[in-house]
Amino acid sequence: MKQLKYLALLAFLLPAFGLLGQESLISEIHPATDFKSEDWAQVQELYAANPHVNKVYLFRINETALEQDQLSITLNGLTLKASIFEEDRRKSNDFSWLGKMEDGFGIFFTVMQNQVVSKFYHGKYAYTMFPLEGGKFHALIEYHSIPQN
């Protein structure tokens, strides 16, 4: 009976640790309070007027997450999971990572000196990631992949 209680407690707590110990690739930053940058201002100005853009995110990359065989990306409380199936490592901080999302779409990352570039789809959105401030921060652009009326 005691073991059953511990198993129930463990089942309840595991989701709080995120994908059985897997760290999220990104940590979202709230630009209004956490970040002032000319790069960010240019990104906002450029993409705000684009009718195909749904949202622009600002975040920090968790570089250790790209060293794992699986990774997660959490956006607006939704966690997207991907698994690696091919890696081209040129140096420790210079590699490309090709994987597959849970929904079957492909995802890739190119990392050069901790600056990450990526493209992927999820649901009705397409995403593009690129570095700002020399890789200290990154932007993630969420596009409508289904034409809007």
Side-chain angles (χ1 to χ4, degrees), residues 26-36 40 44 55-61 74-75 132-133 135-139:
I26 63 175
S27 299
E28 191 172 355
I29 295 170
H30 302 285
T33 57
D34 299 338
F35 185 72
K36 304 287 186 229
W40 180 241
Q44 286 181 305
K55 187 168 181 180
V56 180
Y57 298 90
L58 175 68
F59 59 91
R60 286 189 175 97
I61 290 280
T74 303
L75 299 170
L132 301 172
E133 302 288 314
K136 185 176 179 183
F137 300 96
H138 285 72

Side-chain angles (χ1 to χ4, degrees), residues 3 5 13 34 53 60 64 76 83 97 99 115 132 143 145:
Q3 288 177 333
K5 285 182 183 178
L13 291 176
D34 299 338
V53 171
R60 286 189 175 97
T64 61
N76 291 329
S83 298
W97 190 102
Q115 296 187 51
L132 301 172
Y143 293 93
S145 60

Side-chain angles (χ1 to χ4, degrees), residues 20-136:
L20 299 172
Q22 190 177 62
E23 298 177 68
S24 183
L25 175 66
I26 63 175
S27 299
E28 191 172 355
I29 295 170
H30 302 285
T33 57
D34 299 338
F35 185 72
K36 304 287 186 229
S37 163
E38 191 173 310
D39 277 1
W40 180 241
Q42 290 173 348
V43 166
Q44 286 181 305
E45 184 179 325
L46 178 66
Y47 290 100
N50 186 332
H52 302 291
V53 171
N54 186 55
K55 187 168 181 180
V56 180
Y57 298 90
L58 175 68
F59 59 91
R60 286 189 175 97
I61 290 280
N62 175 355
E63 293 146 10
T64 61
L66 282 172
E67 298 294 329
Q68 301 172 10
D69 289 342
Q70 295 185 345
L71 62 83
S72 67
I73 298 172
T74 303
L75 299 170
N76 291 329
L78 174 66
T79 299
L80 314 177
K81 300 177 203 172
S83 298
I84 186 174
F85 62 81
E86 187 175 330
E87 182 180 272
D88 178 19
R89 186 166 294 273
R90 296 167 290 278
K91 294 180 185 174
S92 65
N93 64 353
D94 182 0
F95 59 95
S96 295
W97 190 102
L98 182 62
K100 188 182 246 186
M101 303 288 283
E102 284 183 313
D103 61 6
F105 282 104
I107 184 171
F108 82 88
F109 294 94
T110 296
V111 181
M112 294 181 71
Q113 298 177 349
N114 299 325
Q115 296 187 51
V116 180
V117 176
S118 178
K119 286 191 178 268
F120 60 96
Y121 284 88
H122 182 70
K124 62 180 183 176
Y125 299 108
Y127 296 90
T128 299
M129 178 188 304
F130 54 89
L132 301 172
E133 302 288 314
K136 185 176 179 183

